Amino acid sequence: MDPGTLIGISLAFGSLIISMVMEGGNPASLLLPPAMLLIFVGTFGVAMASGLLKDATGIVKQFKVALLAKVTPANDLIDTLVSLADKARREGLLALEEASRGIENPFLKKGLNLAIDGTDPEELRDIMESEIDAKRNADKQGAKFFNDMGGFAPTLGVLGTVVGLVHVLENLSKPDELGKLIAGAFVATLWGVLTANMFWLPMGNKIKRISGIECAQMELVVEGIMAIQAGSNPRVVAQKLRSLMPDAAPAADKKAA
């Protein structure tokens, strides 16, 4: 799990609360149920209306991706592939059948089993690349849903403020309550801008980032499986995979040595 998202959102909300306190405001004044209902439920509703029902029902899964996704370090993945290439070169491809049982990465395990079963290299590449494309498209749609919510939230906040100001005009005969009513009307706009820029848009960008890393590592696995199936030298495999993931170069060099 990468804590960056939780830490970032906590810092953003914390800075807002602290700034309100420093200016003499009361953070509890933000907790207006009507405004929060409009922003959270209304934003989700219009985002659902702009897509398919399955996009909305998959929001829980996308939350887990953004907050709990565990990205395997590229170094570890390259080490595993180089080790498999070395074993396959010394003992043959069928010797990897037992080793594949201890592999936790489902994509690597699937590709390795296909290679062991004697799948044609071109067909194997097509199968694995199709799975990468499917994942990339699914993640893209998940990120779009959050980005759509980030776009709709400020507008709904303005709508909530307009509704609040209408209520203010209905109570002009009560001057003692006007200040409170006007302040309450603008809370909706605050929540709209706040959720868009401190939550929905960051979540969408995090999903894009995680998807990019995972798809890049899946492509790394494809190249590694192809090299293993071809019986390439482990040193060559390490150098090839290192070129695809430059950040993993130091560990890859050490492993190859």
Side-chain angles (χ1 to χ4, degrees):
M1 171 184 172
D2 178 55
T5 300
L6 290 176
I7 294 175
I9 291 176
S10 299
L11 286 174
F13 275 95
S15 64
L16 173 66
I17 299 302
I18 293 173
S19 65
M20 288 188 65
V21 172
M22 292 177 66
E23 292 181 358
N26 183 6
S29 62
L30 299 179
L31 303 178
L32 291 182
M36 296 174 70
L37 177 68
L38 174 64
I39 296 304
F40 285 98
V41 180
T43 299
F44 181 79
V46 293
M48 179 190 296
S50 67
L52 301 177
L53 181 60
K54 67 177 183 179
D55 300 333
T57 55
I59 190 171
V60 175
K61 180 180 178 180
Q62 296 300 334
F63 263 123
K64 291 181 179 179
V65 171
L67 297 177
L68 304 176
K70 182 180 179 181
V71 179
T72 303
N75 289 335
D76 295 347
L77 191 56
I78 291 177
D79 289 349
T80 299
L81 289 167
V82 172
S83 176
L84 292 171
D86 182 58
K87 187 176 182 65
R89 187 175 176 84
R90 288 186 289 104
E91 303 176 24
L93 195 59
L94 293 178
L96 299 181
E97 186 172 1
E98 183 177 353
S100 67
R101 298 192 184 101
I103 294 176
E104 297 181 358
N105 187 315
F107 187 70
L108 173 56
K109 188 171 185 177
K110 178 180 179 179
L112 200 59
N113 288 332
L114 287 172
I116 293 171
D117 291 340
T119 306
D120 180 76
E122 290 301 320
E123 185 177 358
L124 192 155
R125 179 183 288 274
D126 289 341
I127 292 173
M128 300 187 75
E129 288 184 346
S130 295
E131 188 169 334
I132 295 174
D133 290 338
K135 174 178 173 51
R136 185 179 286 114
N137 291 332
D139 292 341
K140 181 179 179 181
Q141 187 56 49
K144 180 181 181 300
F145 190 86
F146 282 103
N147 288 333
D148 286 346
M149 292 180 73
F152 293 133
T155 304
L156 285 175
V158 173
L159 177 63
T161 296
V162 172
V163 172
L165 291 177
V166 170
H167 186 53
V168 170
L169 295 176
E170 292 175 346
N171 291 272
L172 290 179
S173 59
K174 303 175 182 178
D176 294 341
E177 298 182 8
L178 291 182
K180 180 180 179 181
L181 292 174
I182 292 174
F186 282 98
V187 169
T189 295
L190 188 151
W191 271 109
V193 176
L194 182 152
T195 55
N197 293 281
M198 292 189 181
F199 195 73
W200 306 127
L201 295 178
M203 292 288 283
N205 290 334
K206 180 62 176 291
I207 292 172
K208 288 181 182 178
R209 174 61 173 153
I210 293 294
S211 178
I213 294 173
E214 292 180 343
C215 288
Q217 292 190 357
M218 291 171 77
E219 292 171 351
L220 185 77
V221 168
V222 173
E223 297 302 325
I225 294 294
M226 293 293 101
I228 291 172
Q229 192 177 39
S232 300
N233 187 297
R235 288 179 179 272
V236 175
V237 175
Q239 292 176 359
K240 183 176 183 179
L241 299 182
R242 180 190 61 196
S243 68
L244 296 175
M245 303 291 284
D247 292 341
D253 283 340
K254 182 177 179 181
K255 181 69 178 179

